[in-house]
């Protein structure tokens, strides 16, 4: 039995809304004081569990990992306060985690869909353009309402980033996903790929390092959010150094995208583009780094309340999950200080509660 927990401290029900008096009763939240006394009392600033909008549980540097490793990944995320994960593509079938009391709520996107030999080996379902629509339908039916496309990657013949698929085929694929009731998100590094994806009616963009001023009104008007994955973009200089001897144009392009990463995120925020926090954990990024990503968004120019919103209240609404609401599952984190005023407090959480059970 989860019992009764009294959260005795300020409750951030929204970025600018503080309430007082929150309890977990048998794993569900309530703002009404229960008659029995609490089993535990937790002090501190209360927030909904973080949402990692770009995470790869079940994926390692060489592709799919064993179940035990996937479990370690998930528990590392939970320990850091990530209690909701939008899987952004995994070659491992992680459906066995869903509903597990110790795991974050997991929204799966199935497997990445990439052009043949145009992505990391062992990660994606690879197809040629004529097979894209059917591959999208298959992943849409096997996932939880999301499909992940690899929109661009290095074209070794051209020596630089290039779109993975022809624009007309991408439009057909996005339409097919929508017919299946799924949303489409796309990995996009380069500038021109963003135009292609916006034209196709995509629902989200991962990384979005190629954002230019011309893109911003379209993102805002079409309501397409971005997930910048800044702690992953920090690896671009190393990628460029490795590529320099064979692909100097690609290396220069990647450095240029890295150099303007913070400026582009700040411009997107100022233009009203929705931004969500995602770590890209699971390949080269270790799990449990959601606080680092939130703080990176803050460094990029988002006020701390907005950076928190990118991983808390707004992110949960976007993914169809409850926040700190009456009757919601008690997925809660507790900070010692107000994270809007003391950002670093999110890196040392006092308590993590999942389903009404205290994890730490």
């Amino acid at each position: 039995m989860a019992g009764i927990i009294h959260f005795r401290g300020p409750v951030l029900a929204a970025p600018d809304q503080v309430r007082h008096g929150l309890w977990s009763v048998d794993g569900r939240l309530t703002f009404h004081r229960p008659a029995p006394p609490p089993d535990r009392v937790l002090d501190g600033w209360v927030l909904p569990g973080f949402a990692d909008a770009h995470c790869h549980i079940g994926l390692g540097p060489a592709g799919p990992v064993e179940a035990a490793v996937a479990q370690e990944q998930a528990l590392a995320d939970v320990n850091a306060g990530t209690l909701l994960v939008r899987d952004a593509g995994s070659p491992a079938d992680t459906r066995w985690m869903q509903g597990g009391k110790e795991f974050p709520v997991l929204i799966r996107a199935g497997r990445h869909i990439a052009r043949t030999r145009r992505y990391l080996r062992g990660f994606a379902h690879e197809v040629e353009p004529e097979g894209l629509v059917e591959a999208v339908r298959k992943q849409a039916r096997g996932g939880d309402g999301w499909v992940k496309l690899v929109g661009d990657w290095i074209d070794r013949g051209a020596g630089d980033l290039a779109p993975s698929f022809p624009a007309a085929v991408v439009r057909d694929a996005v339409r097919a996903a929508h017919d299946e009731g799924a949303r489409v998100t796309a990995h996009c590094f380069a500038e021109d790929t963003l135009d292609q994806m916006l034209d196709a009616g995509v629902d989200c963009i991962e990384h979005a390092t190629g954002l230019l001023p011309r893109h911003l009104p379209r993102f805002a008007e079409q309501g397409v959010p971005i997930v910048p994955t800044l702690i992953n973009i920090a690896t671009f200089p190393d990628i460029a150094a490795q590529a320099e001897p064979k692909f100097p144009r690609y290396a220069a392009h990647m450095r240029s995208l890295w150099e303007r990463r913070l400026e582009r995120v700040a411009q997107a925020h100022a233009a009203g583009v929705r931004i969500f926090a995602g770590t890209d954990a699971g390949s080269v990024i270790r799990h449990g780094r959601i606080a680092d990503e939130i703080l990176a968004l803050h460094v990029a120019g988002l006020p701390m309340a907005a950076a928190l919103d990118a991983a808390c209240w707004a992110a949960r609404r976007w993914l169809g999950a409850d926040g700190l609401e009456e009757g919601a599952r008690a997925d809660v984190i507790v900070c010692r200080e107000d994270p809007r005023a003391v950002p670093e407090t999110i890196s040392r959480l006092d308590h993590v509660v999942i389903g009404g059970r205290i994890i730490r």
Side-chain angles (χ1 to χ4, degrees), residues 42-61:
L42 304 183
D43 290 307
W45 287 76
V46 181
L47 289 80
F50 292 135
D52 189 337
H54 186 128
C55 191
H56 302 283
I57 294 175
L59 177 66

Side-chain angles (χ1 to χ4, degrees), residues 53 63 179 283 313:
D179 288 345
S283 52
W313 312 275

Side-chain angles (χ1 to χ4, degrees), residues 86 108-113 135-141 145-149 173 177 182-186 202:
R86 184 188 64 148
R108 297 174 53 260
R111 195 168 186 175
H112 305 70
I113 303 173
V136 163
R137 289 192 182 278
K138 178 180 178 181
Q139 296 302 322
R141 291 168 185 167
W146 283 95
V147 173
K148 170 73 174 292
L149 294 181
R183 291 184 280 182
V184 178
T185 193
V202 75

Side-chain angles (χ1 to χ4, degrees), residues 31-304:
F31 288 94
H32 304 287
R33 182 188 296 272
D39 300 289
R40 291 289 302 273
V41 177
L42 304 183
D43 290 307
W45 287 76
V46 181
L47 289 80
F50 292 135
D52 189 337
H54 186 128
C55 191
H56 302 283
I57 294 175
L59 177 66
V65 299
E66 297 294 330
V69 177
Q71 178 169 317
E72 290 174 4
Q73 294 174 339
L75 295 182
D77 289 324
V78 166
N79 196 52
T82 295
L83 306 184
L84 174 63
V85 167
R86 184 188 64 148
D87 157 60
S90 176
D93 186 345
T94 53
R95 282 176 284 196
W96 59 272
M97 285 189 182
Q98 293 178 310
K101 293 181 179 180
E102 69 272 37
F103 300 126
V105 173
L106 178 60
I107 301 170
R108 297 174 53 260
R111 195 168 186 175
H112 305 70
I113 303 173
R115 184 75 177 263
T116 309
R117 292 185 295 278
R118 288 280 302 280
Y119 196 50
L120 297 165
R121 185 179 301 174
F123 281 35
H125 177 62
E126 299 185 2
V127 296
E128 286 299 283
E130 60 271 17
L132 181 62
V133 170
E134 184 55 37
V136 163
R137 289 192 182 278
K138 178 180 178 181
Q139 296 302 322
R141 291 168 185 167
D144 300 322
W146 283 95
V147 173
K148 170 73 174 292
L149 294 181
V150 177
D152 59 22
W153 198 250
I154 184 172
D155 182 332
R156 289 168 177 79
D160 199 359
L161 292 167
S164 301
F165 299 99
V169 177
V170 174
R171 284 196 298 270
D172 290 344
V174 171
R175 191 178 303 116
H178 291 169
D179 288 345
E180 298 289 341
R183 291 184 280 182
V184 178
T185 193
H187 159 111
C188 296
F189 285 163
E191 297 83 354
D192 292 344
T193 317
L194 296 177
D195 298 291
Q196 181 192 74
M197 292 297 166
L198 290 168
D199 289 344
V202 75
D203 302 285
C204 181
I205 295 291
E206 312 299 316
H207 317 301
T209 46
L211 274 173
L212 296 174
R214 73 168 189 261
H215 297 126
L216 298 178
R218 294 194 64 190
F219 271 89
E221 290 164 9
Q222 293 179 216
V224 178
I226 64 171
V227 183
T229 66
L230 287 173
I231 62 172
N232 182 43
I233 302 311
T235 66
F236 276 21
D238 289 340
I239 295 171
Q242 294 173 29
E244 183 81 50
K246 292 182 66 175
F247 303 108
R249 281 182 56 206
Y250 168 73
H253 197 174
M254 294 294 280
R255 287 193 190 97
S256 173
L257 294 173
W258 173 79
E259 287 165 358
R260 294 193 57 208
R261 68 201 183 284
L262 303 183
E263 173 189 352
R264 285 165 166 160
V265 170
Q267 290 174 342
H269 176 67
V273 178
R274 290 184 296 164
I275 297 172
F276 296 115
T279 62
D280 207 356
S283 52
V284 297
I285 304 299
R286 65 175 174 81
H287 285 261
R289 293 193 60 192
I290 189 63
D292 293 337
E293 184 64 23
I294 296 168
L295 294 173
L297 291 174
H298 181 45
V299 169
L302 273 66
M304 191 57 191

